[in-house]
């Protein structure tokens, strides 16, 4: 890809090849491959899957490492919570580390409700069994006959099998089995367990947000997610899930009052989160109850501070539920912002009328198709008979 | 650096007007490509550039600068570029460490009511350290007039700084950089622009900032989304206004749509009827509205008198 305007004659060797990820995550010397990630075809950034393949497509192939996805909750927080669970479940399947912070539900409860992956090739981490020796005939009698060549190989599937696939499918009617879940390392932050300290004098943030940022910083530094950390050990991605940030339980009156006292606390938190993520191998999905926030300008500020932003609007309980136009769907999805990092502009989604549908095995996002043909044909037939 | 934009603004790296305050604004759109344009333009013009990158990391600008043909890392090493990485500096303020490292420029995060004095001090030291009065001992290079680039000013409002404090800051910067040092200032201010709704108290901050900056500046480049919504190839329109130059007024009364792709810079073509441009110089208060109709099959007709400009759908 050549730079379009180049009046100064620069040797082409100076231009970086397209697929070198210069998005500050990696050293320029070599590309490390982390399981569960892939480079973007647009600009070479490292992407992870959100767990929902159609959402990955909307965001330009996946969620870029070092960015934040803001999900504006639907009224009952059902579908936004579902997206968060998909995100965390994808992290478990890809062997990433998780960080869940919540003010309302215990993070352990959230982690227990993750949907079960539909396993074809997901590696289930079983303890390594001793290779079978051919001099133990009593075991081989009951077991399936396996070719003698492979009898002595260990039973555990290699981890590469799961990392070769980007994006998995989940069955929401079942929860993830504990063995799979416990294989992933999870960090928790439960607000009620953190003692309230004296109000911080060092910023406009609330102490709950400060404590959360501090805890995140500690995890990132101690577990080696910092980009500047030495490259000795293998790198992994930290997936951060923050459900219902900005709700009253965090001590923020943004969603309670028209003129909140700490109007900028949440925005400052997002600024700090953005700063932290830009320098670490982490990705965050944050859900915010935006329908409670009266100040649209503040929501606009927060949206601009996040890189990706979508809003969900569910049809449950509204008159749209019976609208034949929407009968195949569960709600509308609005894309508020798509990032353009390391490039001049983003590839905007083609359509603006997107609707989503939560099926048992898939969360699909599609262009909202009007139900058209049946009605037309009926009226056509009627005309003919009358004439 | 986009050559078409240069030709419309009559600027080149070798000759550009000094002492200018350029305001970039957008409304429900993204004008950051203009910041990259000006950054590469002034770096090529061998100016001393002070860049306040408050919303993105250094590597982001560096990667795009590479595509536009300038190397930010080299410029920083040579001393041509003074870069404030706002995100990185802010962490040391938001999460207090034991050791105080870094500049004090982001100290307004501690207490936004104090204002942006420390940020201004950073700008002043960055802009005036360009070898005032002589070269360095080992024969360091001398650079041209200083340029201040801010990306972007409205994020300060989200962090709690008042619009008045931000306007004071821009005024001080203009006084120092434009008047005293005969340099240029380019600032980006973003807004949601939902004027139709009755959000009188809420958006007052960003609207007030925008109005104040428009009054202070000498040239405004405004990017806005198309009134008809998204179009596959043309994304928005850009209105250029600046009334105090002694040049052909028809050239100035232009409105361009911008199409931004990931690879190519927006390019500008003569096009459809343009009825509007926004003039920012207070002496010429024009106010017409421009409508750029883009048909869905993306053909753009060229008006016969060729006085108006449109964006191209470059594939």
């Amino acid at each position: 890809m050549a730079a379009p305007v180049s009046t100064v004659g620069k040797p082409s060797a100076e231009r970086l090849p397209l697929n070198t990820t210069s998005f500050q995550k990696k050293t320029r010397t070599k590309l490390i491959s982390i399981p569960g990630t892939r480079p973007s075809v647009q600009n070479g950034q490292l992407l992870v899957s959100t767990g929902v393949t159609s959402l990955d497509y909307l965001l330009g192939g996946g969620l870029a490492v070092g960015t934040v996805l803001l999900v504006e909750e639907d009224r009952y927080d059902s579908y936004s919570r579902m997206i968060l669970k998909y995100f965390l479940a994808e992290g478990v399947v890809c062997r990433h580390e998780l960080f869940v912070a919540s003010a309302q539900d215990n993070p352990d409860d959230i982690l227990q409700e993750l949907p079960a992956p539909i396993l074809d090739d997901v590696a289930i981490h079983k303890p390594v069994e001793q290779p079978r020796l051919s001099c133990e005939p009593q075991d081989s009698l009951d077991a399936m006959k396996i070719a003698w060549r492979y009898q002595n190989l260990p039973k555990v599937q290699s981890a590469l099998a799961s990392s070769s696939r980007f994006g998995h499918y989940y069955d929401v009617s079942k929860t993830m089995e504990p063995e799979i879940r416990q294989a992933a390392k999870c960090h928790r932050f439960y607000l009620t367990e953190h003692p309230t300290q004296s109000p911080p004098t060092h910023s406009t943030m609330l102490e709950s947000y400060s404590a959360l940022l501090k805890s995140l910083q500690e995890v990132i530094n101690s577990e080696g997610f910092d980009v500047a950390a030495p490259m000795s050990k293998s790198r992994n991605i930290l997936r951060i899930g923050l459900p219902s940030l900005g709700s009253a339980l965090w001590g923020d009156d943004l969603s309670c009052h028209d003129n909140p006292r700490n109007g900028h606390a949440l925005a400052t938190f997002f600024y700090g989160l953005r700063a932290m993520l830009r320098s670490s191998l982490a990705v965050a999905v944050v859900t915010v109850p935006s329908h409670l926030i009266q100040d649209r300008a503040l929501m606009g500020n927060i949206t601009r501070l996040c890189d990706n932003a979508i809003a969900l609007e569910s049809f449950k309980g509204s008159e749209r539920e019976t609208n034949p136009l929407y009968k195949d769907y569960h709600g509308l999805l609005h894309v508020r912002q798509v990032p353009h990092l390391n490039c001049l502009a983003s590839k905007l989604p083609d359509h603006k009328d997107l609707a989503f549908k939560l099926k048992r095995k898939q969360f699909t996002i599609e262009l909202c198709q009007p139900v058209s043909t049946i009605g037309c044909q009926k009226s056509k037939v009627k005309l003919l008979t009358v004439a | 650096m986009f050559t078409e934009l240069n030709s419309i603004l009559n600027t080149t790296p070798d000759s550009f007007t000094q002492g200018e305050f350029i305001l970039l604004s957008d409304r429900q759109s993204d004008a950051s490509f203009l910041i990259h344009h000006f950054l590469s333009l002034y770096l090529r013009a061998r100016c001393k550039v002070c860049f306040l990158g408050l919303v993105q990391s250094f590597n982001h600008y560096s990667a795009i600068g590479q595509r536009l043909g300038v190397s930010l890392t080299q410029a920083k090493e040579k001393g041509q570029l003074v870069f404030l990485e706002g995100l990185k500096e802010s962490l040391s303020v938001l999460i207090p460490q034991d050791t105080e490292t870094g500049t004090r420029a982001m100290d307004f995060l501690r207490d936004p009511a104090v204002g942006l004095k420390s940020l201004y001090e950073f700008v002043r030291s960055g802009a005036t350290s360009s070898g005032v009065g002589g070269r360095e001992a080992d024969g360091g290079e001398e650079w041209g007039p200083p340029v201040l680039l801010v990306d972007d000013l409205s994020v300060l409002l989200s962090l709690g700084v008042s619009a008045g404090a931000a306007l004071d800051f821009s005024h001080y910067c203009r006084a120092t950089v434009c008047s005293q040092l005969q340099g240029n200032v380019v600032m980006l201010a973003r807004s949601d622009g939902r004027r139709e709704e009755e959000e009188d108290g809420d958006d007052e901050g960003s609207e007030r900032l925008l109005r104040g900056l428009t009054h202070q500046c000498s040239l405004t480049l405004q990017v806005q989304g198309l009134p008809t919504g998204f179009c596959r190839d043309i994304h928005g329109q850009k209105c250029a206004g600046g009334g105090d130059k002694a040049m052909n007024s028809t050239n100035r009364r232009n409105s361009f749509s911008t199409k931004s792709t990931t690879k190519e810079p927006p390019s500008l073509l003569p096009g459809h009827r343009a009825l509007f441009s926004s003039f920012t110089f207070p002496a010429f208060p024009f106010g017409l509205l421009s409508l750029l109709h883009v048909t869905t099959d993306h053909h753009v007709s060229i008006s016969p008198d060729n006085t108006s400009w449109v964006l191209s759908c470059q594939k």
Side-chain angles (χ1 to χ4, degrees), chain A residues 1-8 10 14-16 18 22-25 28 42-43 201-205 210 213-214 217 258-259 263-264 267-268 271-276 278-279 294-301 304-305 307 337 340-352, chain B residues 1-4 30 32-33 36 44 53-57 59-64 66-71 74 86-88 90-91 93-97 106 109-112 154-155 157-161 190-192 194 197 199 202-203 229-230 232 235 260-266:
Chain A
M1 182 220 73
V5 172
S6 185
T7 54
V8 178
K10 292 227 166 204
E14 278 190 16
R15 300 198 198 109
L16 287 178
L18 184 60
S22 52
F23 184 48
Q24 94 273 358
K25 285 298 163 289
R28 286 170 188 256
Q42 288 174 17
N43 47 19
T201 51
H202 53 264
S203 73
T204 53
M205 269 200 301
S210 300
L213 262 187
K214 201 148 188 258
Q217 174 89 300
D258 282 343
N259 295 316
H264 303 284
T268 315
Y271 192 75
L273 182 66
R274 186 187 177 108
M276 207 179 305
R278 286 291 195 268
S279 58
Q294 301 300 321
D295 194 345
R296 302 316 303 170
L298 271 176
M299 258 333 282
N301 289 340
R304 258 174 276 140
L305 281 171
D307 307 286
Q337 187 165 272
H340 43 173
L341 299 153
N342 293 357
C343 58
L344 281 165
S346 58
K347 180 180 176 304
L348 291 167
D350 280 345
H351 308 282
K352 288 188 87 174
Chain B
M1 189 177 73
F2 309 140
T3 43
E4 293 95 343
D30 198 348
S32 15
F33 67 92
H36 299 298
R44 277 187 209 215
L54 300 174
V55 287
Q56 295 282 11
S57 61
N59 291 321
H60 169 80
Y61 299 107
S62 177
I64 301 184
Q66 209 105 31
R67 293 186 191 193
L68 296 178
V70 290
S71 167
Q74 263 182 22
L87 288 173
K88 209 162 74 162
S90 71
L91 269 186
V93 175
L94 293 174
I95 304 175
Q97 320 283 350
M106 301 295 286
L109 284 170
R110 285 211 178 91
D111 186 10
S154 30
V155 77
L157 295 185
S158 335
L159 296 172
V161 177
R190 312 187 61 186
S191 72
D192 266 342
R194 296 184 201 176
E197 302 170 18
E199 308 275 355
D202 305 318
D203 216 11
F230 281 131
R232 190 184 291 270
H235 287 180
S260 302
T261 65
T262 52
K263 296 187 182 165
E264 281 129 15

